Amino acid sequence: MLFTGARIKSFFPEAKVDTEIPTVEWKTFSADLPSNYTFGAPKIVLQTGTTWQAPVASQLPLYGETRSPVVVSWRIGEGRILWWAAATPLTNSGITAKAT
């Protein structure tokens, strides 16, 4: 299941996200470690105002800072959630944006 942004807490109250003032600048985030999700995508570019709070054992940070990632893979029971801090990489809105 794919979720984006801070509203994940509406569906999974145990999700720990920090909501900040959204940025208008595009930022580049490097992959934290090799995985099926990061293969072929060593970096991503997105706008965000949300980060995940220090992941626990069932939550794997994929991009961003280890203690405040912007992409997380989260195992719940037999399922898995892929959470992105923002939907901007899934749209064409930033396709020509230059990252910082």
Side-chain angles (χ1 to χ4, degrees):
M1 182 173 294
L2 175 65
F3 273 87
T4 61
R7 292 190 181 210
I8 189 171
K9 292 176 81 168
S10 298
F11 298 91
F12 300 97
E14 63 275 14
K16 304 291 185 206
V17 294
D18 284 328
T19 304
E20 304 165 1
I21 297 172
T23 64
V24 291
E25 71 182 39
W26 294 84
K27 293 185 180 179
T28 300
F29 297 94
S30 297
D32 292 331
L33 55 102
S35 74
N36 291 340
Y37 294 111
T38 61
F39 180 77
K43 295 181 181 191
I44 61 168
V45 178
L46 61 98
Q47 287 177 309
T48 185
T50 305
T51 57
W52 198 270
Q53 294 176 6
V56 297
S58 64
Q59 302 163 350
L60 179 65
L62 298 173
Y63 291 92
E65 300 296 323
T66 305
R67 304 295 288 160
S68 59
V70 295
V71 178
V72 173
S73 174
W74 181 18
R75 182 176 296 278
I76 296 181
E78 294 184 32
R80 182 170 297 278
I81 294 172
L82 183 61
W83 175 83
W84 288 56
T88 50
L90 306 173
T91 70
N92 287 332
S93 63
I95 204 160
T96 60
K98 301 255 190 239
T100 60

